[in-house]
Amino acid sequence: MSTARLNAGSVTALPDDVARPGYDREGQRIGIVHLGLGAFHRAHQAVYTDDAMAAGDRNWAIAAASLRSAGMCAALAPQDGLYTVTERSGDGDRIRLIGAIRDVTVAARGPERLAALLAAPDTRLVTLTVTEKGYWRRPDGKTDLAGLLANGNSIYHHLGQAVAARQAAGLDPLTLVSCDNLPDNGRVLRDGLAAFLDHHGMTRARDWFERDWRCPNTMVDRIVPAVTDADRERIEALLGQRDDGAVLTEPYRQWVIEEDFAGERPRWEMGGARLVPDVRPYETAKLRMLNGAHSALAYLGLEQGHGFVHQAVADPVIRPVVERLMRQEAASSFTPAPGQDLDRYADALLARFANPALAHRLAQIASDGSQKVGPRWLASLAEHGHRGETAPATLTALAAWLRFSRTGHALSPDPLSGELAGLWARLGSDGIVDGLFGDGGLLADQWRPTDAQKALLQTLCEG
């Protein structure tokens, strides 16, 4: 006999130790539209929103839209948007039922449904987790209008339509909250949407957007590895029900948000979010220390035959490189906020990486590397270059990515895989550094190495 499926009618049959939403779920109207129905959103922003509604905030339920893939929509719709988050640590598993998502849709299949949600009077916020490539940026940081226009289903198409529709209907402006690993993610989103509106000659809509809409910068942090079939079977055994939307994560979570909203917002701070005037020091620490170390572990670890983060960080050859990258190079490449203890932060990161209960796959981290190396490594390298320093640990990680970019895209895809393969085919190991970072190089707008950095990177690539 097959196991029953999790849904609103089966919640009472869950084990007593599964935490339930602490509010009347049916009494909450949708106040947030989310773009990007992936595991990170379900383990992060949806959890904070669940906490806010449990603390008494009303009408902040989420309507979540996948832009293309119908898989998660098909998983959550029969479950009435319900799913579980399992926090996994050495002390065991703690399972929580999340009720914040009330509606799911697929933009590519029904754009009119997403348009209606974005133009609804009750909608006050849009949150986004679409990964770096979803912002359609060129290597120089500007918006890739040609690419997104050819796509036809970008975030800017849907948000641009929402600006025009809400203006025409006399509705309130929205706050757009990017929750992706991009420096100045709110500014990137604002610039991209403004460029889209400009391109289409939507002058009135653009003026209203620039004047009244808000796009706060944010920093998000929680490790959310991909769920395996074995994980699903284990969760099903614990729940006594099948949960096709289940998420696994670590106990730690962090959300730092610029206090800049067009109107009301949920009290996300009830779940531990921090509202600050300037996100940049926290964002930079996370990008260069956590994300930078993650990418280093991914490329160095895969090269040594490791499959998971906890294996790579335990490798006696890799760990010293990652520790130096975090503590000496990344941490010294920017000015922290008052009271921001970066050495303590590095200690916490290493402990999180070493958690063997959280099977975080290196191949998952290694995907889309060309979109990640800029904020994670190149900005730090540029700062050290200005000081006349080489930053050898960061260069070691960068060389590992370069070697991986030659052969690894079948394992972890990259939007520039064709261009990178072409450079390797034409230039080989002797010319790949110049092909990327020399005059006219593919990533030259993001970093120009000093002679000493270039020489060391070239040696590392050849090795």
Side-chain angles (χ1 to χ4, degrees), residues 32-38 41 45 62-68 105-107 114-115 117-118 125-131 134-135 153-160 162 176-180 189:
I32 301 172
V33 176
H34 180 78
L35 304 181
L37 187 50
H41 166 67
Q45 299 91 47
I62 300 168
S66 173
L67 291 183
R68 294 177 185 82
T105 189
V106 182
L114 177 56
L117 289 165
L118 290 168
L125 290 171
V126 177
T127 54
L128 303 92
T129 49
V130 295
T131 75
Y135 291 84
N153 185 35
S154 74
I155 56 174
Y156 304 116
H157 286 85
H158 300 292
L159 294 175
L176 310 179
V177 186
S178 168
C179 304
D180 286 295
L189 177 59

Side-chain angles (χ1 to χ4, degrees), residues 412-424:
S412 299
D414 191 294
L416 294 184
S417 58
E419 290 91 334
L420 291 166
L423 286 176
W424 274 107

Side-chain angles (χ1 to χ4, degrees), residues 293-371:
H294 250 168
S295 288
L297 288 165
Y299 300 117
L300 292 167
L302 288 168
E303 200 166 47
Q304 294 301 314
H306 300 303
F308 300 98
V309 169
H310 68 271
Q311 295 170 337
V313 79
D315 188 308
V317 175
I318 296 174
R319 186 180 177 108
V321 176
V322 171
E323 285 218 49
R324 179 185 173 97
L325 185 151
M326 284 197 297
R327 296 185 191 277
Q328 298 182 40
E329 298 177 8
S332 66
S333 69
F334 67 99
T335 301
Q340 191 178 8
D341 188 335
L342 298 182
D343 201 50
R344 185 176 178 181
Y345 183 52
D347 289 339
L349 293 178
L350 288 166
R352 292 165 66 194
F353 295 161
N355 180 359
L358 201 68
H360 198 177
R361 293 183 178 277
L362 298 175
Q364 180 186 3
I365 300 167
S367 65
D368 302 330
S370 66
Q371 308 296 296

Side-chain angles (χ1 to χ4, degrees), residues 168-184:
L171 296 173
D172 291 337
L174 301 180
T175 300
L176 310 179
V177 186
S178 168
C179 304
D180 286 295
N181 288 322
L182 289 168
D184 294 328

